[in-house]
Amino acid sequence: MEATFKIWETSRNIYLKIIENYSLEQLNTIPDGFSNNLVWNLGHIIVSQQGLVYRLSGLPMNISTGMMEKYKNGSKPTATTQEEVDELKGLLFSLLNQTKDDYANGKFVTYNEYTTGTGFHLASTKDAMEFNNYHEGIHLGFMMNIRKFI
């Protein structure tokens, strides 16, 4: 799992660098031809990780229900405040560290198998964490494209 966590941390550092280089207006901009914006992608990877790893392991998620609703799969971007952006930035690493600690402490005991919308079958928490890195990579690519147009 060391490599999985290292990839995840590297990805999160890239997300943080992107987010810190744009104004709130730019973060909320949905360019023509896109269905979301930079900040929605950031929120989405946070809530997706919590759902894939914690919820499907039968553990409580470390985010609010409101955040889950705002950024879950199928949601549409709404205006995000600077306070919300700051909260998301803080969660990038606090949730990563929480997950690493919970994994090291054996909190992930069971897993409710799940097949993603893209066809990946997740049979364990380890599978979910590895898929999470793939999922975050997809959204990082979306963000790199979006930033060309804002």
Side-chain angles (χ1 to χ4, degrees), residues 78-98:
T78 59
T80 302
T81 66
Q82 186 61 53
E83 292 77 22
E84 290 171 308
V85 172
D86 293 342
E87 179 183 10
L88 292 170
K89 284 172 27 179
L91 290 172
L92 278 173
F93 294 99
S94 67
L95 294 177
L96 166 64
N97 292 330
Q98 181 70 53

Side-chain angles (χ1 to χ4, degrees), residues 42-115:
L42 181 69
H44 177 70
I45 59 113
I46 289 169
V47 302
S48 293
Q49 181 272 331
Q50 288 291 293
L52 289 167
V53 176
Y54 283 85
R55 184 178 50 81
L56 290 171
S57 292
L59 298 171
M61 294 187 292
N62 301 296
I63 56 172
S64 69
T65 302
M67 182 176 286
M68 180 59 124
E69 289 300 314
K70 186 169 184 171
Y71 298 108
K72 70 182 181 181
N73 199 29
S75 66
K76 303 289 184 214
T78 59
T80 302
T81 66
Q82 186 61 53
E83 292 77 22
E84 290 171 308
V85 172
D86 293 342
E87 179 183 10
L88 292 170
K89 284 172 27 179
L91 290 172
L92 278 173
F93 294 99
S94 67
L95 294 177
L96 166 64
N97 292 330
Q98 181 70 53
T99 306
K100 287 164 82 172
D101 289 347
D102 289 345
Y103 185 81
N105 292 321
K107 277 195 162 184
F108 301 105
V109 178
T110 62
Y111 194 79
N112 297 307
E113 293 188 27
Y114 175 73
T115 301

